[in-house]
Amino acid sequence: TVENGGIEGNEGSKAKPMLYLKNAVNAAFSGDTILIGAGTHTYPNPDDWNIDFNGSKSLFIKGVSKDETILDAEQKNRHFKFSYSNEFPVIDSTFKVKNLSLVNGRPENYDHGGSVFIEGHTTEDNIEGHSPLFEHVWFRGNQTNSGVQEQYAKKGGAVFADQGGLASFRDVEFSENGASSIGGAVAIEFPDTSKIILFERTTFLNNGVEPTWEKNIDRVARGGALYFERAGKTIIDKSIGELLIPILK
């Protein structure tokens, strides 16, 4: 897919690139690489975003660089959702998103995870969820979609993972992301503890939480950059930033 020259209905080759990333994802087979050209990619409809990965295929989504390939959701929706399905295996770190910026994501409806939502599944005997890898990615200006009451306090300004889901980040920058409750950049709750949460050479700048329900500010405002709840092994290596000390529960 490219900023200029892509046409809806194209086959997706270099000579005939697709216009929408969502179409490329739908057409791809497991193990394929989707190349996104340089430029700022914007789409007219919210449904063109919140691109769903349910485990039916493992992909490598790759831009030119995080400075040259920009996916700007313009606050119409989040960029990606990794949804759990018991029909397919869970996604692991062989699923990569690399060399691009994820900018101005915001869920269309009240929800967590401004740019990325990762979910899993728990039972009394088992917990499992997706665990993609983000590498050389810049999460910038993403935010949760929250109302003004306590029940609308949302988590994970850029990334939210829950019920077995988690992610790994390598050479990633989080800047100017915000949540109304917990985890200005990233919030991970109840992940699969048999897997490792990795932040390697990751930078956090000017992320934060700003509760929209002032009467409950002491309880809901936690984790300006990171928040983990009942996490297992977490590695934060060679990473810098403001409010980097993670909030653990």
Side-chain angles (χ1 to χ4, degrees), residues 25 28 184 222 241 245:
V25 169
R222 288 175 284 179
I245 299 173

Side-chain angles (χ1 to χ4, degrees), residues 137-174:
V137 173
W138 187 4
F139 291 92
R140 176 164 49 91
N142 303 288
Q143 59 182 279
T144 57
N145 187 349
S146 306
V148 295
Q149 300 297 322
E150 176 187 15
Q151 64 265 34
Y152 295 136
K154 300 304 178 183
K155 309 169 186 178
V159 178
F160 176 73
D162 191 24
Q163 300 299 319
L166 54 92
S168 292
F169 306 92
R170 182 176 292 126
D171 298 297
V172 169
E173 181 176 341
F174 294 90

Side-chain angles (χ1 to χ4, degrees), residues 79 99 115 196 223:
H79 298 93
N99 290 353
S115 176
I196 296 174

